Amino acid sequence: MESSLLYQAARKGNVAALSELQLDNLILDKFFINNSFSETPLHVLAMLGHVDFVKELLNHKPELAKELDMWRCTLLHLAVANDHLETVNLLLSVVDCELLCTTWDEEERNPLHLAAMRGRIDVLRELLKVAPKAGQVGLKGQSGTILYVCVRYNQLEAMKLLMDVIDDYQFCECQR
């Protein structure tokens, strides 16, 4: 019962409803163990950009920011894909940036690849500030760099930003 109320509050971004649930770590642990949804409430929040709600849940249990959904997306993947800069900045302040920025989703992309692919310039700039090496990581299981992503998805501004921030020789030595 508590888990469905938590999920409903997350979908609405209703911080007051969250407070009424009197969250403790045990409730959160039970939810994540018994979760029958394809994503956690935090994944819903990251997709919708409910930053205050995300902050409240992470205050209770910061390690939840590392949870993966069924597509192996972190909260950061979803916030980046949906261009929620404030949520991106919150996540980067709470969790190990290098870990979040280099985690691959089911499509074998890290959050920087997603930002470049979707032309999320402000988000990409923030990610490069905290984890520039993640921009040097090649697409998992494929040849090609983040520059390839920019070309493939016609994202010239993202390519310009990457070229300004990352030295040319570093693209040639992409890690996998």
Side-chain angles (χ1 to χ4, degrees):
M1 178 70 161
E2 292 163 334
S3 63
S4 64
L5 292 174
L6 175 60
Y7 187 78
Q8 289 172 11
R11 287 185 55 88
K12 295 176 183 173
N14 189 339
V15 178
L18 177 65
S19 299
E20 289 175 18
L21 288 174
Q22 298 177 352
L23 282 182
D24 63 24
N25 288 343
L26 184 57
I27 291 171
L28 293 173
D29 285 339
K30 281 195 286 186
F31 180 83
F32 288 101
I33 291 169
N34 299 319
N35 184 11
S36 61
F37 301 105
S38 60
E39 64 270 326
T40 68
L42 276 168
H43 287 92
V44 171
L45 295 166
M47 283 188 284
L48 298 175
H50 297 308
V51 71
D52 292 333
F53 202 110
V54 172
K55 183 184 271 183
E56 188 65 30
L57 278 179
L58 292 177
N59 282 339
H60 288 283
K61 200 162 178 73
E63 61 271 18
L64 295 178
K66 299 177 198 170
E67 288 288 324
L68 302 176
D69 69 7
M70 66 186 288
W71 299 280
R72 299 199 37 78
C73 290
T74 63
L75 303 176
L76 187 60
H77 281 93
L78 299 171
V80 165
N82 290 289
D83 204 21
H84 296 304
L85 182 60
E86 196 175 355
T87 303
V88 167
N89 285 328
L90 172 65
L91 292 168
L92 295 175
S93 72
V94 173
V95 184
D96 176 11
C97 300
E98 204 66 39
L99 173 69
L100 278 186
C101 289
T102 57
T103 301
W104 282 302
D105 65 10
E106 189 175 80
E107 299 289 320
E108 301 183 334
R109 302 167 301 201
N110 71 31
L112 279 86
H113 296 135
L114 281 175
M117 180 178 102
R118 300 227 175 146
R120 309 296 195 218
I121 303 304
D122 292 335
V123 169
L124 183 58
R125 187 175 290 112
E126 291 303 310
L127 296 173
L128 287 167
K129 283 180 191 174
V130 298
K133 292 186 184 222
Q136 299 166 26
V137 175
L139 296 165
K140 185 178 179 187
Q142 303 174 32
S143 61
T145 66
I146 196 168
L147 294 178
Y148 168 78
V149 172
C150 294
V151 170
R152 182 171 180 204
Y153 291 93
N154 197 26
Q155 297 296 340
L156 182 60
E157 291 302 313
M159 182 182 287
K160 287 179 185 177
L161 175 62
L162 288 161
M163 295 301 290
D164 287 344
V165 174
I166 300 175
D167 294 334
D168 292 343
Y169 76 91
Q170 291 173 324
F171 285 119
C172 298
E173 299 176 7
C174 276
Q175 306 163 3
R176 285 183 220 205

